[in-house]
Amino acid sequence: MTSTTVTGSRGLSVVPVPVRVPVPALLLGLFALLCAALSGCTQDAAAAPGPAVALRLGYLADITHATPLIGLQNGIYARDLGETRLTPQVFGAGPDEMTALLGGHLDAAYVGPSSALNAYMRSHGEALRIVAGATLGGAELVVRPGITSASQLRGRTLATPQLGNTQDVALRYWLLQQGFHTDPSGSGDVAVVPESNATTLEQFRAGRIDGAWVPEPWASRMVLEGGGHVLVDERSLWPGGRFATTDLVVATSFLNAHPQTVTALLTAQLDTQAWITAHPATARTDVGKALTAATGATLQPAELARAWAALTLSDDPVVSDLPALAAHAAAVGLGSDDGSGAAASVSGIYALGPLDTLLAARGEPTPASS
């Protein structure tokens, strides 16, 4: 399995993208229009198998989404998707991405596992499948210097990126383990306030919140710009320090209709990770430039270096962790699919067959064997 700890710094590298004329896609579109005009073709015929005409791909402007950030910027995704028109869309947090996917506005997305699980639960196991992992690690609870233990958090205000996202569930469950009650409304022993990461940094610097459980690069920015320190590195809470912060999910309908395009998307991810492995210094600089393009903010070299070193790019979604994540969400009132308070079932959420096939062809181990 591809797994790369990323470090280093150098200039931008651009992968050339071949120009291709989308003739098959054009013919497919004309065929669909002809079917509609004659009303003599079935829906299945109009959606003939083959590459999708377009792919709408969501991701976040976080370093934990380094693979799409780099692969999109360097043209690897466009190259590997060939005739399929790629439309990337940046989101602020995972739940918003999943709302877009559930609403039919995205075909695939890089997203945290708790957000993916929540969308899977809301759709009664129908809407999406996790087809690969993307990133391990890169999330921390950063607090004010005077806070040195969990016992000091009672009555404090902490932030997360969005209600129900992966870091939100992680913080609420950790607080529960410390004996603190939280409520989705923001009340409880510790107030948890979901807000954008940029707002969190501003509020922390202004002294209006006491800390936040956030992904990189926001944790590093809170430490180096906000003067905070790490109270909890989430790696310390999982066996071997391995936990997924980013997975690749695909709408089930898209996966069924266009398996060839899903394979091309996975190929782009693996090719990007291979490129990062071969160019670790350039990759770190590239992800910083991609974040600047997406957010308008430029990371300081020390922030980029700290954030980049905190994560590992990997196609392993750490399947064994998802039942625990479902139980954590249920324990804090965010995870039951029937109102019972029981953990949502994760059965059927993974569709790793295409990834396994690609990895086997490359002579790499599959998630199931790692």
PDB file of all heavy atoms in Angstrom, residues 142-160:
ATOM      1  N   VAL A 142      -5.586  21.959  20.406  1.00  0.00           N
ATOM      2  CA  VAL A 142      -4.671  23.032  20.788  1.00  0.00           C
ATOM      3  C   VAL A 142      -5.396  23.957  21.763  1.00  0.00           C
ATOM      4  O   VAL A 142      -6.540  24.365  21.505  1.00  0.00           O
ATOM      5  CB  VAL A 142      -4.186  23.825  19.556  1.00  0.00           C
ATOM      6  CG1 VAL A 142      -3.250  24.950  19.977  1.00  0.00           C
ATOM      7  CG2 VAL A 142      -3.491  22.886  18.569  1.00  0.00           C
ATOM      8  N   VAL A 143      -4.747  24.283  22.870  1.00  0.00           N
ATOM      9  CA  VAL A 143      -5.370  25.109  23.918  1.00  0.00           C
ATOM     10  C   VAL A 143      -4.422  26.217  24.358  1.00  0.00           C
ATOM     11  O   VAL A 143      -3.260  26.263  23.972  1.00  0.00           O
ATOM     12  CB  VAL A 143      -5.755  24.240  25.142  1.00  0.00           C
ATOM     13  CG1 VAL A 143      -6.813  23.215  24.758  1.00  0.00           C
ATOM     14  CG2 VAL A 143      -4.525  23.550  25.728  1.00  0.00           C
ATOM     15  N   ARG A 144      -4.948  27.077  25.222  1.00  0.00           N
ATOM     16  CA  ARG A 144      -4.157  28.180  25.750  1.00  0.00           C
ATOM     17  C   ARG A 144      -3.033  27.665  26.661  1.00  0.00           C
ATOM     18  O   ARG A 144      -3.165  26.597  27.280  1.00  0.00           O
ATOM     19  CB  ARG A 144      -5.048  29.118  26.559  1.00  0.00           C
ATOM     20  CG  ARG A 144      -6.176  29.682  25.742  1.00  0.00           C
ATOM     21  CD  ARG A 144      -6.697  30.987  26.283  1.00  0.00           C
ATOM     22  NE  ARG A 144      -7.484  31.618  25.209  1.00  0.00           N
ATOM     23  CZ  ARG A 144      -6.961  32.226  24.174  1.00  0.00           C
ATOM     24  NH1 ARG A 144      -5.654  32.316  24.061  1.00  0.00           N
ATOM     25  NH2 ARG A 144      -7.722  32.755  23.233  1.00  0.00           N
ATOM     26  N   PRO A 145      -1.944  28.436  26.771  1.00  0.00           N
ATOM     27  CA  PRO A 145      -0.798  27.974  27.566  1.00  0.00           C
ATOM     28  C   PRO A 145      -1.139  27.627  29.010  1.00  0.00           C
ATOM     29  O   PRO A 145      -0.566  26.709  29.588  1.00  0.00           O
ATOM     30  CB  PRO A 145       0.170  29.151  27.501  1.00  0.00           C
ATOM     31  CG  PRO A 145      -0.181  29.865  26.240  1.00  0.00           C
ATOM     32  CD  PRO A 145      -1.664  29.706  26.090  1.00  0.00           C
ATOM     33  N   GLY A 146      -2.097  28.323  29.609  1.00  0.00           N
ATOM     34  CA  GLY A 146      -2.430  28.063  31.012  1.00  0.00           C
ATOM     35  C   GLY A 146      -3.197  26.780  31.248  1.00  0.00           C
ATOM     36  O   GLY A 146      -3.356  26.355  32.401  1.00  0.00           O
ATOM     37  N   ILE A 147      -3.685  26.161  30.175  1.00  0.00           N
ATOM     38  CA  ILE A 147      -4.444  24.911  30.312  1.00  0.00           C
ATOM     39  C   ILE A 147      -3.477  23.756  30.087  1.00  0.00           C
ATOM     40  O   ILE A 147      -2.955  23.574  28.994  1.00  0.00           O
ATOM     41  CB  ILE A 147      -5.590  24.854  29.303  1.00  0.00           C
ATOM     42  CG1 ILE A 147      -6.541  26.036  29.516  1.00  0.00           C
ATOM     43  CG2 ILE A 147      -6.349  23.530  29.417  1.00  0.00           C
ATOM     44  CD1 ILE A 147      -7.612  26.166  28.448  1.00  0.00           C
ATOM     45  N   THR A 148      -3.262  22.968  31.131  1.00  0.00           N
ATOM     46  CA  THR A 148      -2.284  21.883  31.037  1.00  0.00           C
ATOM     47  C   THR A 148      -2.882  20.511  31.313  1.00  0.00           C
ATOM     48  O   THR A 148      -2.184  19.505  31.210  1.00  0.00           O
ATOM     49  CB  THR A 148      -1.126  22.120  32.018  1.00  0.00           C
ATOM     50  OG1 THR A 148      -1.652  22.238  33.347  1.00  0.00           O
ATOM     51  CG2 THR A 148      -0.370  23.392  31.647  1.00  0.00           C
ATOM     52  N   SER A 149      -4.174  20.463  31.668  1.00  0.00           N
ATOM     53  CA  SER A 149      -4.811  19.178  31.934  1.00  0.00           C
ATOM     54  C   SER A 149      -6.282  19.243  31.553  1.00  0.00           C
ATOM     55  O   SER A 149      -6.880  20.332  31.485  1.00  0.00           O
ATOM     56  CB  SER A 149      -4.677  18.793  33.407  1.00  0.00           C
ATOM     57  OG  SER A 149      -5.451  19.660  34.220  1.00  0.00           O
ATOM     58  N   ALA A 150      -6.875  18.086  31.329  1.00  0.00           N
ATOM     59  CA  ALA A 150      -8.286  18.018  30.959  1.00  0.00           C
ATOM     60  C   ALA A 150      -9.170  18.595  32.043  1.00  0.00           C
ATOM     61  O   ALA A 150     -10.213  19.202  31.765  1.00  0.00           O
ATOM     62  CB  ALA A 150      -8.674  16.564  30.676  1.00  0.00           C
ATOM     63  N   SER A 151      -8.777  18.459  33.306  1.00  0.00           N
ATOM     64  CA  SER A 151      -9.609  18.931  34.411  1.00  0.00           C
ATOM     65  C   SER A 151      -9.841  20.430  34.376  1.00  0.00           C
ATOM     66  O   SER A 151     -10.811  20.929  34.958  1.00  0.00           O
ATOM     67  CB  SER A 151      -8.972  18.540  35.742  1.00  0.00           C
ATOM     68  OG  SER A 151      -7.705  19.153  35.887  1.00  0.00           O
ATOM     69  N   GLN A 152      -8.988  21.151  33.676  1.00  0.00           N
ATOM     70  CA  GLN A 152      -9.122  22.607  33.604  1.00  0.00           C
ATOM     71  C   GLN A 152     -10.096  23.072  32.514  1.00  0.00           C
ATOM     72  O   GLN A 152     -10.297  24.278  32.343  1.00  0.00           O
ATOM     73  CB  GLN A 152      -7.755  23.244  33.353  1.00  0.00           C
ATOM     74  CG  GLN A 152      -6.753  23.039  34.475  1.00  0.00           C
ATOM     75  CD  GLN A 152      -5.375  23.544  34.087  1.00  0.00           C
ATOM     76  OE1 GLN A 152      -4.618  22.865  33.395  1.00  0.00           O
ATOM     77  NE2 GLN A 152      -5.053  24.751  34.534  1.00  0.00           N
ATOM     78  N   LEU A 153     -10.694  22.145  31.798  1.00  0.00           N
ATOM     79  CA  LEU A 153     -11.553  22.520  30.675  1.00  0.00           C
ATOM     80  C   LEU A 153     -13.007  22.771  31.072  1.00  0.00           C
ATOM     81  O   LEU A 153     -13.775  23.293  30.256  1.00  0.00           O
ATOM     82  CB  LEU A 153     -11.504  21.423  29.598  1.00  0.00           C
ATOM     83  CG  LEU A 153     -10.159  21.257  28.883  1.00  0.00           C
ATOM     84  CD1 LEU A 153     -10.200  20.074  27.936  1.00  0.00           C
ATOM     85  CD2 LEU A 153      -9.792  22.534  28.128  1.00  0.00           C
ATOM     86  N   ARG A 154     -13.398  22.413  32.268  1.00  0.00           N
ATOM     87  CA  ARG A 154     -14.786  22.644  32.674  1.00  0.00           C
ATOM     88  C   ARG A 154     -15.115  24.136  32.582  1.00  0.00           C
ATOM     89  O   ARG A 154     -14.369  24.987  33.063  1.00  0.00           O
ATOM     90  CB  ARG A 154     -15.021  22.140  34.095  1.00  0.00           C
ATOM     91  CG  ARG A 154     -16.490  22.257  34.541  1.00  0.00           C
ATOM     92  CD  ARG A 154     -16.689  21.705  35.935  1.00  0.00           C
ATOM     93  NE  ARG A 154     -16.384  20.277  36.002  1.00  0.00           N
ATOM     94  CZ  ARG A 154     -17.232  19.300  35.691  1.00  0.00           C
ATOM     95  NH1 ARG A 154     -18.464  19.611  35.281  1.00  0.00           N
ATOM     96  NH2 ARG A 154     -16.868  18.042  35.788  1.00  0.00           N
ATOM     97  N   GLY A 155     -16.230  24.448  31.940  1.00  0.00           N
ATOM     98  CA  GLY A 155     -16.656  25.827  31.776  1.00  0.00           C
ATOM     99  C   GLY A 155     -15.962  26.573  30.654  1.00  0.00           C
ATOM    100  O   GLY A 155     -16.247  27.749  30.421  1.00  0.00           O
ATOM    101  N   ARG A 156     -15.069  25.894  29.931  1.00  0.00           N
ATOM    102  CA  ARG A 156     -14.341  26.527  28.826  1.00  0.00           C
ATOM    103  C   ARG A 156     -15.114  26.386  27.526  1.00  0.00           C
ATOM    104  O   ARG A 156     -16.075  25.624  27.409  1.00  0.00           O
ATOM    105  CB  ARG A 156     -12.966  25.878  28.675  1.00  0.00           C
ATOM    106  CG  ARG A 156     -12.106  25.887  29.920  1.00  0.00           C
ATOM    107  CD  ARG A 156     -11.370  27.184  30.102  1.00  0.00           C
ATOM    108  NE  ARG A 156     -10.384  27.105  31.180  1.00  0.00           N
ATOM    109  CZ  ARG A 156      -9.439  27.998  31.381  1.00  0.00           C
ATOM    110  NH1 ARG A 156      -9.321  29.034  30.577  1.00  0.00           N
ATOM    111  NH2 ARG A 156      -8.583  27.862  32.397  1.00  0.00           N
ATOM    112  N   THR A 157     -14.644  27.125  26.526  1.00  0.00           N
ATOM    113  CA  THR A 157     -15.227  27.066  25.182  1.00  0.00           C
ATOM    114  C   THR A 157     -14.181  26.574  24.198  1.00  0.00           C
ATOM    115  O   THR A 157     -13.089  27.155  24.095  1.00  0.00           O
ATOM    116  CB  THR A 157     -15.731  28.450  24.736  1.00  0.00           C
ATOM    117  OG1 THR A 157     -16.743  28.898  25.645  1.00  0.00           O
ATOM    118  CG2 THR A 157     -16.310  28.383  23.330  1.00  0.00           C
ATOM    119  N   LEU A 158     -14.512  25.498  23.484  1.00  0.00           N
ATOM    120  CA  LEU A 158     -13.626  24.919  22.486  1.00  0.00           C
ATOM    121  C   LEU A 158     -14.353  24.897  21.139  1.00  0.00           C
ATOM    122  O   LEU A 158     -15.584  24.837  21.085  1.00  0.00           O
ATOM    123  CB  LEU A 158     -13.220  23.496  22.874  1.00  0.00           C
ATOM    124  CG  LEU A 158     -12.553  23.317  24.244  1.00  0.00           C
ATOM    125  CD1 LEU A 158     -12.316  21.839  24.528  1.00  0.00           C
ATOM    126  CD2 LEU A 158     -11.247  24.094  24.311  1.00  0.00           C
ATOM    127  N   ALA A 159     -13.581  24.921  20.064  1.00  0.00           N
ATOM    128  CA  ALA A 159     -14.173  24.958  18.722  1.00  0.00           C
ATOM    129  C   ALA A 159     -13.815  23.706  17.933  1.00  0.00           C
ATOM    130  O   ALA A 159     -12.806  23.038  18.197  1.00  0.00           O
ATOM    131  CB  ALA A 159     -13.697  26.199  17.963  1.00  0.00           C
ATOM    132  N   THR A 160     -14.659  23.411  16.945  1.00  0.00           N
ATOM    133  CA  THR A 160     -14.410  22.351  15.958  1.00  0.00           C
ATOM    134  C   THR A 160     -14.860  22.878  14.600  1.00  0.00           C
ATOM    135  O   THR A 160     -15.594  23.867  14.524  1.00  0.00           O
ATOM    136  CB  THR A 160     -15.182  21.066  16.289  1.00  0.00           C
ATOM    137  OG1 THR A 160     -16.593  21.342  16.280  1.00  0.00           O
ATOM    138  CG2 THR A 160     -14.774  20.500  17.634  1.00  0.00           C
TER     139      THR A 160
END
